[in-house]
Amino acid sequence: MSDFPTKARVVIIGGGVVGISSLYHLAKKGWTDCVLLEKNELTAGSTWHAAGNVPTFSTSWAIMNMQRYSTELYARLGDEVDYPMNYHQTGSIRLAHSKERVQEFERARAMGRYQGIEMEMWTPEQAKERYPFLETHDLEGVLYDPTDGDIDPAQLTQALAKGARDMGAKILRFTPATGVTQHDDGSWTVSTEKGDIDCDYVVNAAGYYAQRVGEWFKPYGGRTVPMMVMSHQYLLSEEIPEIEAWTKETGQKLPLLRDVDVSYYLRQEKHGFNLGPYEPNCKGHWMTDDDQMPDDFSFQLWNDDLDRIEDIVTDAMERVPLMGTSGVSRVINGPIPYAPDGLPLIGPMPGVKNAFEACVFTFGIAQGGGAGKVLAEWIVDGATEWDMWAVDPRRYTDYTDQDYCNRKGMEVYGNEYAMHFPHHEWPAARDKKLSPVHAKVKELGGVMGVYNGWERANWFAQPGDDVTEESTHTWGRSGPWEQRIKEECEAVRDHCGVLDLPGFSRFMVEGDGAAEALRGLITGGLPKVGRINLVYIADERGRILTEMSCLRLGEDEFVMITAATAQWHDRDILMRAMPAGVTVKDVTTTRDTLIVTGPKSREILAGLTDADLSTGWLTHQSATVAGQPAYLIRVSFAGELGWEVHALNEHMPSIYEAIVDAGAKPFGMYALNSLRIEKGYRAWKGDLSTDYSLLEGGLDRFVKLDKPQDFPGKAAIQNEKQQGVQKRFVTMLVEAKDCDAPYMSCLWSGDEIVGETTSGAWGYRINASVALGMVRADLAAPGTELEVEIYGEKCRAVVQEDQPLWDPANERLRA
């Protein structure tokens, strides 16, 4: 092939809507020398049989941003690339059968309003006026989204392809990729049946084949892509005269209907209906030895399996009786890939340099436009406009074996429209990573939650407490856990508590030049030998990339400790920043951690350890505890006198038992969240994210602009310091009612949205609801009165002094 490209900046593997959108957005950013490879024709995977719905609704800020961008792009794309488009923004109505569902809708509506989407809450009667064929007698409320609708997936993909080609990008159809090879300089060769292409970056956009393609990257640090494949059916009805007559009379289509409590969507398709159920008794495919994924499933479907969806179809006919007047003209039953949380994988491939993922899209049509934008930013700029941790492939680590992926995928599909309540834990595929004292924690009443695969106690139940899944189906703070959290917080306040904290991400960084390399990476200074401090890493825009505790053992010997969920994210940062001769070793799984904290913690530890417990705050030492070797660090995320006790897994059971026997009360993650928020301590990827700069986050004291090292983001931070920040981090006391402020609740000043919460919880030591958040800089002064919108209800919020609400002078911490 004389025109076969042998060089490219980026090679994208996979010609569905997401791969093509990625190519289009790379070209829009000026990277026109990129190539996309498709083994068959464009759209041959999940794209061709997709229903083509384009909602903006989400309770994830990142996903809503991505889907909103898609609607904006699709509305202008036809004109932009001169290609005919069938895009119908019909609006949609979502039905709420319960007060809790109305609260969820109100939360999404507020987020949408902040992003410029004018969603509305309707009464059932208003919905009936707009959708006359609807039965509304049992509804609590209805959410209307004017931007929702549907698009032809093939037209969308071809329009993006035309736009990409017109800008100079190349698309090679019927050109299967067969493997990849990485070279010493980090560049790649992608092999195909027609020849090799040398490139700087590779993107796995292979849809439901992404796991197979992902295997090619294992020799270069990769892992098995966490995914499985579900069978999704939707039905097309025969034409219905009443719909045809209504459409002619009104000149419009019916709004897209979603009955989320029953779990289906119903859309006008020409003059009939398209019904798409997400049934609880769902079916996965290509999961067993006798059901292997074929080498090529292009443009193929499975046989109908209508028995699975019979109950939902019956319910839909009762909701819209008109649907029962026609027969079924066609059933589509095709493969849809699922990640374990139902969200796609977009971003850097874990452990692999210069490789990215844009795959495992369950809602690829709705998210495809935004996904292409995000991926192009990640590759070209090294960072995304919005914080995209929700879809970052590094959010999963080594616990996502295929059993986990299969079980979670089935669970997510069967609960596609489920509400994600703050105290609810999904039950499938649990106990993947257990603390060495897991059995003891459970014996003491631990009600467990999952943190990067690790089981930790959220709270400790007493005999007779309701620990059923049903008890957690509430947005409120009240539940069987509330009294127990209060007791746990009071124990930490008045006596001593102990929290088992498996899964802290730990990295040993050592070798000649380690200290200098770290100075060139972090924004501030390093601790002296024998001490520990917080360090921050910024991206090139000066935004908060991550936070680590830096423990210095020697001149060039450090332990870097980070959040459990940050394990692969922060590993990549450290590995890529360290020069030859400096090693980064992940020792996360070999050790466990206890937080021992409260005014009596010194007294309790004194009888168990040979450590010097008079050393000051932010120091560390080797010692024995309960006769076992351990490491003591004098810090406390709870904001009381306390220590972290780190020990090898085999030594921790006797240490934990001795501390409990000495009188420390076990407490859980819910209590820790309450305690930390009273101190204003930030949580990663809530309060600390790339949506905010270090200066906006109030982290000025962790930035040393006068040090000689040119750390990432230094110029941006200098510039921002001269210009002044637009937003500021604040702590607020909230006159909340039954619910505390969730992440990304709108902050109002009068009739204007002026910021958002980043976290919220009840503070049991100060007996008040606390919210942390970002607000317009001119409204950050202490005493400023704002309102925070909590599930549709505006509550008075008052900005506090820039200091902890509890023990503002840190006297208890330093005692």
Side-chain angles (χ1 to χ4, degrees), residues 746-763:
C746 292
L747 293 174
W748 293 82
S749 178
D751 295 327
E752 189 180 3
I753 297 176
V754 294
E756 68 274 359
T757 61
T758 54
S759 55
W762 189 266

Side-chain angles (χ1 to χ4, degrees), residues 17 95 145 243 797:
V17 67
L95 310 183
D145 178 357
I243 292 182

Side-chain angles (χ1 to χ4, degrees), residues 517-649:
L518 285 171
R519 288 190 194 99
L521 176 64
I522 66 173
T523 60
L526 293 172
K528 296 176 180 174
V529 174
R531 296 192 64 84
I532 180 175
N533 63 3
L534 279 179
V535 298
Y536 288 87
I537 299 171
D539 65 16
E540 292 296 345
R541 303 163 301 175
R543 298 192 188 186
I544 305 164
L545 194 57
T546 196
E547 170 196 81
M548 301 187 187
S549 294
C550 177
L551 188 146
R552 194 167 191 175
L553 303 176
E555 281 304 314
D556 276 319
E557 188 180 1
F558 300 86
V559 181
M560 309 298 285
I561 304 174
T562 76
T565 49
Q567 185 183 1
W568 281 8
H569 178 277
D570 287 2
R571 178 199 66 183
D572 280 3
I573 291 172
L574 290 170
M575 296 281 281
R576 287 167 192 182
M578 293 302 115
V582 176
T583 61
V584 177
K585 185 179 179 184
D586 187 337
V587 294
T588 299
T589 58
T590 63
R591 290 161 173 80
D592 191 23
T593 302
L594 304 180
I595 294 179
V596 183
T597 185
K600 299 290 185 184
S601 57
R602 180 180 280 122
E603 193 177 306
I604 281 179
L605 284 172
L608 301 172
T609 183
D610 59 359
D612 179 0
L613 300 179
S614 67
T615 57
W617 189 39
L618 302 180
T619 58
H620 55 86
Q621 60 186 302
S622 290
T624 60
V625 181
Q628 303 294 332
Y631 214 86
L632 267 64
I633 307 174
R634 183 147 175 220
V635 291
S636 172
F637 200 51
E640 299 284 353
L641 171 69
W643 284 261
E644 287 179 5
V645 180
H646 296 247
L648 291 171
N649 292 334

Side-chain angles (χ1 to χ4, degrees), residues 287-354:
M287 291 164 49
T288 58
D289 290 342
D290 59 353
D291 181 25
Q292 294 283 315
M293 178 186 283
D295 288 336
D296 193 351
F297 200 69
S298 300
F299 297 112
Q300 294 183 59
L301 297 170
W302 292 303
N303 294 331
D304 310 347
D305 191 3
L306 296 180
D307 290 347
R308 283 203 334 252
I309 60 176
E310 184 178 355
D311 291 348
I312 292 180
V313 174
T314 300
D315 197 285
M317 288 178 176
E318 292 172 358
R319 181 63 58 196
V320 182
L322 197 59
M323 196 192 150
T325 66
S326 75
V328 174
S329 71
R330 193 174 179 208
V331 179
I332 311 293
N333 183 11
I336 301 183
Y338 266 76
D341 60 4
L343 303 183
L345 305 176
I346 318 173
M349 188 181 292
V352 186
K353 190 178 180 184
N354 298 338

Side-chain angles (χ1 to χ4, degrees), residues 606-758:
L608 301 172
T609 183
D610 59 359
D612 179 0
L613 300 179
S614 67
T615 57
W617 189 39
L618 302 180
T619 58
H620 55 86
Q621 60 186 302
S622 290
T624 60
V625 181
Q628 303 294 332
Y631 214 86
L632 267 64
I633 307 174
R634 183 147 175 220
V635 291
S636 172
F637 200 51
E640 299 284 353
L641 171 69
W643 284 261
E644 287 179 5
V645 180
H646 296 247
L648 291 171
N649 292 334
E650 58 267 32
H651 299 143
M652 193 56 90
S654 52
I655 295 174
Y656 182 72
E657 196 147 352
I659 289 170
V660 171
D661 289 347
K665 181 180 177 66
F667 69 102
M669 296 300 291
Y670 292 164
L672 183 65
N673 188 52
S674 169
L675 296 162
R676 70 94 188 169
I677 210 166
E678 292 172 311
K679 294 293 292 182
Y681 294 161
R682 279 71 150 169
W684 189 66
K685 287 307 178 192
D687 315 300
L688 302 170
S689 82
T690 56
D691 282 332
Y692 311 117
S693 72
L694 270 87
L695 300 186
E696 287 173 340
L699 301 171
D700 312 47
R701 67 189 184 280
F702 297 101
V703 178
K704 291 180 68 174
L705 291 173
D706 58 349
K707 70 177 185 176
Q709 292 82 11
D710 188 24
F711 57 84
K714 186 175 186 178
I717 295 171
Q718 283 174 321
N719 184 57
E720 187 182 18
K721 198 173 182 70
Q722 291 166 355
Q723 303 293 324
V725 296
Q726 303 298 306
K727 298 183 284 190
R728 285 209 177 274
F729 187 86
V730 292
T731 301
M732 294 162 285
L733 287 180
V734 183
E735 293 178 6
K737 296 181 182 174
D738 298 332
C739 308
D740 300 306
Y743 175 66
M744 284 294 170
S745 300
C746 292
L747 293 174
W748 293 82
S749 178
D751 295 327
E752 189 180 3
I753 297 176
V754 294
E756 68 274 359
T757 61
T758 54

